[in-house]
Amino acid sequence: EDKVVQSPLSLVVHEGDTVTLNCSYEVTNFRSLLWYKQEKKAPTFLFMLTSSGIEKKSGRLSSILDKKELFSILNITATQTGDSAVYLCAVEVPNFLTSGTYKYIFGTGTRLKVLA
Amino acid sequence: EPEVTQTPSHQVTQMGQEVILRCVPISNHLYFYWYRQILGQKVEFLVSFYNNEISEKSEIFDDQFSVERPDGSNFTLKIRSTKLEDSAMYFCASKIQGVWEQFFGPGTRLTVL
């Protein structure tokens, strides 16, 4: 069974701290790994990773994938209270029913709280 | 900026009743998804839809569930006879061909009493 595991489950830090969120996966056929931020309702897209070792960066957020060890990390530097959210990792895998289509397996998420 | 919309935002129903959750994906998107998230738990894949048919469904998506794209713009999820454990947030998502990013709607909170 395809599985995505995130750690830690929750984290409380102070503004200015740096955090590292982990996502490991065991899937039959990996296509890509995506990171999302979920605040009150719908997840919003952060990064998509397909290749090992290539860092994706957006402001204070960055992410990297290791396809050999089957994990990804999401780093947030100089955290702010607005970074408080649940961070979701999802792995894209092929569908069995219809070739050429894909679905997304989500992890449980990491709940990050940044204190002022 | 185009966005996925969902209605209603909150639906309360009695156990055994049928519910239809509605989604309007972004207009040029071709791939459509339903997910659910039970309170405090992870986002779970339910079903994907492409080319007017289901392209994949999870074990959760049993014969109590169905999806339809009745008119080329709406994408609906029907639960025939709701159970207490169907209470969750249901998210619709869509994406365009060749791009990995899915766009999520704001969700419908379903409460089954």
Side-chain angles (χ1 to χ4, degrees):
Chain A
E1 188 188 333
D2 293 335
K3 199 165 58 167
V4 177
V5 177
Q6 291 184 247
S7 62
L9 286 181
S10 66
L11 195 53
V12 181
V13 300
H14 288 94
E15 267 193 321
D17 287 350
T18 293
V19 297
T20 299
L21 310 183
N22 301 290
C23 174
S24 64
Y25 60 91
E26 284 176 39
V27 300
T28 323
N29 277 301
F30 173 91
R31 189 179 192 222
S32 68
L33 185 145
L34 298 93
W35 283 97
Y36 290 87
K37 180 182 182 182
Q38 186 178 26
E39 292 178 88
K40 293 208 165 66
K41 282 198 171 176
T44 53
F45 174 80
L46 294 174
F47 296 111
M48 184 277 293
L49 303 149
T50 53
S51 302
S52 273
I54 298 174
E55 187 184 49
K56 293 272 180 105
K57 212 166 155 55
S58 175
R60 295 176 294 102
L61 276 68
S62 63
S63 183
I64 199 158
L65 173 68
D66 185 329
K67 284 166 78 173
K68 187 174 171 210
E69 299 299 328
L70 309 182
F71 77 91
S72 172
I73 59 171
L74 175 69
N75 276 320
I76 309 175
T77 58
T79 49
Q80 302 169 356
T81 53
D83 295 327
S84 296
V86 175
Y87 290 84
L88 300 172
C89 170
V91 172
E92 186 185 21
V93 296
N95 286 331
F96 286 111
L97 271 185
T98 304
S99 142
T101 66
Y102 300 85
K103 67 181 179 190
Y104 300 84
I105 312 292
F106 280 81
T108 46
T110 292
R111 182 174 295 279
L112 174 66
K113 188 166 175 64
V114 182
L115 303 175
Chain B
E1 192 177 322
E3 56 184 20
V4 177
T5 59
Q6 289 185 244
T7 54
S9 57
H10 191 187
Q11 171 105 38
V12 181
T13 190
Q14 295 287 331
M15 196 167 60
Q17 295 295 303
E18 173 183 286
V19 294
I20 297 176
L21 311 183
R22 290 185 165 78
C23 169
V24 179
I26 296 172
S27 65
N28 61 340
H29 285 194
L30 299 177
Y31 299 85
F32 312 111
Y33 306 84
W34 281 103
Y35 295 89
R36 78 170 185 195
Q37 187 175 32
I38 295 169
L39 188 64
Q41 296 187 27
K42 67 177 181 179
V43 174
E44 297 174 291
F45 169 78
L46 290 178
V47 66
S48 58
F49 193 87
Y50 169 70
N51 203 22
N52 287 319
E53 60 185 17
I54 289 174
S55 51
E56 188 75 320
K57 55 185 179 177
S58 72
E59 287 167 1
I60 304 166
F61 194 89
D62 61 22
D63 52 13
Q64 292 300 308
F65 290 85
S66 61
V67 287
E68 230 180 20
R69 192 157 154 79
D71 56 12
S73 64
N74 289 285
F75 179 49
T76 61
L77 174 71
K78 186 196 291 189
I79 310 175
R80 261 181 269 286
S81 175
T82 48
K83 303 189 279 280
L84 295 176
E85 53 266 39
D86 293 327
S87 295
M89 184 74 103
Y90 288 81
F91 292 108
C92 169
S94 70
K95 78 182 202 72
I96 200 167
Q97 185 145 12
V99 171
W100 275 271
E101 183 181 353
Q102 290 177 93
F103 292 81
F104 281 82
T108 292
R109 180 165 294 288
L110 176 67
T111 302
V112 182
L113 302 175

